[in-house]
Amino acid sequence: MSVKEKALILDKTGIDRALTRVAHEILEKNKGAGDLVLVGIQRGGVHLAKRLAIKIREIEKVEVPVGSLDITMYRDDLATRKSQPVPQATDITFDIQNKIMVLVDDVVFTGRTIRAALNSIMDYGRPKRIQLAVLVDRGHRELPIRADFIGKNLPTSSKEKVEVMLVEDGGEEKVVILGE
Amino acid sequence: MSLSTKDLLGIKSMTADEIKLILDTALTFKDVSERDIKKVPALRGKTVINLFYEASTRTRTSFELAGKRLSADVINISTSTSSVVKGETLLDTARNIEAMKCDMIIVRHSCSGAPEYLSKRLKSSVINAGDGFHEHPTQALLDMFTIREKLGKLEGLTVAIVGDIMHSRVARSNIYGLIAMGAKVRVCGPPTMIPPGLECMGAQVYYDMDKAVEGADVVMMLRLQLERQAAGLFPGVREYARLFGLNQQRLSGAAKHALVMHPGPMNRGVEISSEVADNTPVILEQVTNGVAVRMAVMFLLSGGTKAEA
């Protein structure tokens, strides 16, 4: 069984355009960047959160705090996995109390990562509001969770795999569907 | 990458990659203890038993906090208040505990090999919290974590371990671990307390403390186990302190950035002078890091199905 690239969904320009629109939507919905904080979910979400912060600075001339969140210890499949994943750093050095927090992830799929992220955030404080921004929404939710800001809606088969590659990880920048 | 066994019995059988995995994982667990809400749900629903056949405050509390901060249910059994005083064997006690469905048993025992003996007969994960003169793996892991945190690496460092090497499981685990990670290890103590064969483990043996400490990046002092003094391995505590105690003047021979470490409990004025003990923050940071390292070990061993060891 070999995994190959079935379709190119977004290229470098496509990703950039989607993020620009999402940045505008975040500012529109929250009427500016006051009280706004961005938290990227390890690992892909962290790069995207940093990029959104740059875009918001370009649009609004405001510096928005950016943090990273690792949800490993909050996963609901730890007891059944063969081996444990290595946790990455959680780095939220600013106060999140009463802030408007935008969680950022590359792909939303079953919604279980977001559930874990929400639980984790509650252990750090109580934001006034939490919103979700994703580059790709591929459907197949197993929990009642939806994204507030979506770069690309992408209907997929649950057997396929969506891969977001970013230059920050070294290499190409694109979103592709992988399949057999 | 994951640990290859369900148990942590000693450092000797571990690869450098496995040690590194635990140290890297511990890094993220350290943050948990710094937060307002010092708890993550990683081991929710798991039951952990602390089965201690020897006195301990630090290690037992550290394991207990580590388990609780991972949301496991932790039960402490100390032998003085258990059926052990009625003559129950180690294996019977452990089997009875396991019959109540626990997932992990943390064992400290005065007999070398007791944790390994249990691990072969139980389905639960067994963690060695110190067995006889054999190993104390989580202490070595937290020592290595602390050195790496303070000096940025382990490879190429010179670590002097000073004291009663023969009776020290802390020393043994540290020698295996540090050498696996590429450090140079010097051991030093009275000839009666240096077991044969240390050179085969890769350590250099010194009988003169000043020479052992000279240029060292880390000076690791061991507790003089005063309860073993009756064996007559050294003439007296005062002489021991004079020849193998760490004071400011002796420490000045070590590297400028040298770390002073001690696994505790300290005998002030014996193996370490009060002046040195109070001037090094590292000894208490070892204790802080102990919780993080034990969380990492429990987390990594708690995975679903593990290949049989």
Side-chain angles (χ1 to χ4, degrees):
Chain A
M1 185 181 94
S2 72
V3 178
K4 60 173 182 279
E5 198 176 308
K6 272 168 76 176
L8 175 69
I9 304 305
L10 289 171
D11 59 8
K12 193 174 187 334
T13 324
I15 292 173
D16 192 59
R17 284 191 189 123
L19 288 176
T20 307
R21 178 173 50 76
V22 167
H24 278 286
E25 284 177 3
I26 290 172
L27 292 169
E28 185 187 6
K29 178 159 180 154
N30 296 305
K31 301 183 175 62
D35 281 345
L36 202 63
V37 299
L38 299 177
V39 171
I41 298 174
Q42 291 280 12
R43 305 182 51 166
V46 179
H47 303 316
L48 295 174
K50 285 181 187 153
R51 290 200 203 176
L52 284 173
I54 293 168
K55 297 224 177 273
I56 288 171
R57 186 176 64 208
E58 283 165 4
I59 301 163
E60 205 86 340
K61 312 280 177 262
V62 178
E63 206 67 52
V64 179
V66 184
S68 61
L69 182 69
D70 179 86
I71 57 99
T72 309
M73 291 167 244
Y74 292 81
R75 295 176 69 111
D76 56 12
D77 59 353
L78 287 176
T80 50
R81 288 172 64 95
K82 259 215 158 70
S83 70
Q84 300 296 43
V86 179
Q88 308 288 319
T90 288
D91 190 18
I92 301 178
T93 50
F94 43 85
D95 187 17
I96 63 168
Q97 213 67 20
N98 290 319
K99 292 288 180 356
I100 298 171
M101 176 184 292
V102 179
L103 276 177
V104 184
D105 205 357
D106 46 6
V107 181
V108 60
F109 180 30
T110 59
R112 289 181 190 268
T113 302
I114 307 303
R115 193 283 308 162
L118 291 172
N119 275 102
S120 170
I121 290 296
M122 300 307 162
D123 286 352
Y124 283 91
R126 185 183 188 276
K128 183 161 68 185
R129 199 169 293 156
I130 300 179
Q131 297 164 351
L132 175 62
V134 296
L135 183 57
V136 177
D137 181 347
R138 58 169 296 193
H140 303 288
R141 216 73 85 235
E142 293 169 2
L143 298 171
I145 278 167
R146 64 164 178 78
D148 299 271
F149 312 104
I150 299 165
K152 177 88 181 164
N153 265 305
L154 182 63
T156 56
S157 145
S158 56
K159 289 198 184 70
E160 291 167 327
K161 196 171 179 297
V162 175
E163 182 136 324
V164 175
M165 302 181 206
L166 299 170
V167 282
E168 286 93 336
D169 287 322
E172 288 181 277
E173 168 124 342
K174 61 184 177 183
V175 178
V176 292
I177 296 185
L178 302 174
E180 286 162 38
Chain B
M1 166 95 213
S2 62
L3 299 180
S4 55
T5 63
K6 71 176 176 70
D7 312 296
L8 178 71
L9 303 174
I11 302 288
K12 188 182 179 182
S13 57
M14 294 178 79
T15 64
D17 282 342
E18 285 180 317
I19 294 171
K20 192 168 171 294
L21 174 71
I22 295 175
L23 302 186
D24 289 346
T25 306
L27 212 52
T28 54
F29 283 107
K30 192 170 178 185
D31 288 343
V32 175
S33 297
E34 314 269 332
R35 310 188 328 202
D36 284 345
I37 297 176
K38 301 178 188 60
K39 212 176 183 65
V40 292
L43 260 64
R44 207 166 41 124
K46 304 267 183 192
T47 304
V48 177
I49 310 282
N50 263 332
L51 182 58
F52 275 57
Y53 283 80
E54 271 189 308
S56 166
T57 33
R58 209 176 334 271
T59 308
R60 207 207 64 216
T61 310
S62 185
F63 270 112
E64 184 174 355
L65 280 175
K68 286 184 169 167
R69 285 181 186 167
L70 291 168
S71 303
D73 296 304
V74 185
I75 307 286
N76 289 313
I77 298 173
S78 59
T79 49
S80 57
T81 57
S82 73
S83 286
V84 174
V85 292
K86 300 181 191 164
E88 191 173 46
T89 66
L90 172 66
L91 184 57
D92 281 337
T93 303
R95 280 195 172 137
N96 275 278
I97 291 166
E98 194 168 64
M100 291 182 240
K101 305 296 171 198
C102 69
D103 302 282
M104 203 173 274
I105 299 184
I106 294 154
V107 187
R108 167 167 287 192
H109 203 286
S110 55
C111 291
S112 306
E116 187 177 347
Y117 172 79
L118 286 183
S119 75
K120 287 184 176 150
R121 289 159 181 82
L122 299 176
K123 284 190 200 74
S124 317
S125 287
V126 175
I127 298 179
N128 180 0
D131 60 333
F133 306 149
H134 178 225
E135 284 222 42
H136 189 353
T138 55
Q139 177 71 42
L141 289 165
L142 75 90
D143 288 338
M144 288 189 276
F145 181 89
T146 307
I147 296 170
R148 206 176 68 157
E149 183 181 54
K150 293 278 153 197
L151 301 178
K153 59 172 183 177
L154 289 164
E155 202 177 347
L157 295 182
T158 300
V159 181
I161 305 176
V162 184
D164 181 357
I165 308 291
M166 178 144 76
H167 295 110
S168 176
R169 52 199 179 205
V170 175
R172 213 155 270 115
S173 288
N174 262 305
I175 294 169
Y176 287 128
L178 287 165
I179 287 173
M181 298 303 283
K184 287 195 278 292
V185 178
R186 300 172 180 171
V187 296
C188 176
T192 48
M193 292 177 165
I194 301 279
L198 285 173
E199 287 91 348
C200 301
M201 290 167 73
Q204 293 168 279
V205 177
Y206 289 75
Y207 299 107
D208 177 343
M209 184 167 171
D210 291 312
K211 286 201 179 111
V213 168
E214 194 181 332
D217 301 291
V218 178
V219 181
M220 195 180 282
M221 300 306 299
L222 301 174
R223 181 173 73 92
L224 181 64
Q225 303 183 33
L226 293 166
E227 64 271 23
R228 298 191 209 287
Q229 209 204 318
L233 292 173
F234 57 95
V237 171
R238 269 201 302 182
E239 187 195 279
Y240 181 90
R242 188 158 48 80
L243 293 173
F244 298 101
L246 185 65
N247 52 37
Q248 208 64 49
Q249 185 227 330
R250 254 198 188 122
L251 183 59
S252 62
K256 230 183 177 144
H257 57 259
L259 304 181
V260 176
M261 301 175 79
H262 194 297
M266 290 189 280
N267 295 310
R268 285 170 180 266
V270 183
E271 70 266 7
I272 188 165
S273 73
S274 270
E275 189 191 9
V276 173
D278 294 329
N279 271 327
T280 167
V282 183
I283 293 173
L284 286 175
E285 285 171 51
Q286 286 173 266
V287 181
T288 305
N289 291 338
V291 178
V293 165
R294 290 177 177 116
M295 285 172 84
V297 168
M298 291 163 97
F299 172 73
L300 289 167
L301 292 180
S302 72
T305 43
K306 278 267 149 62
E308 286 303 311

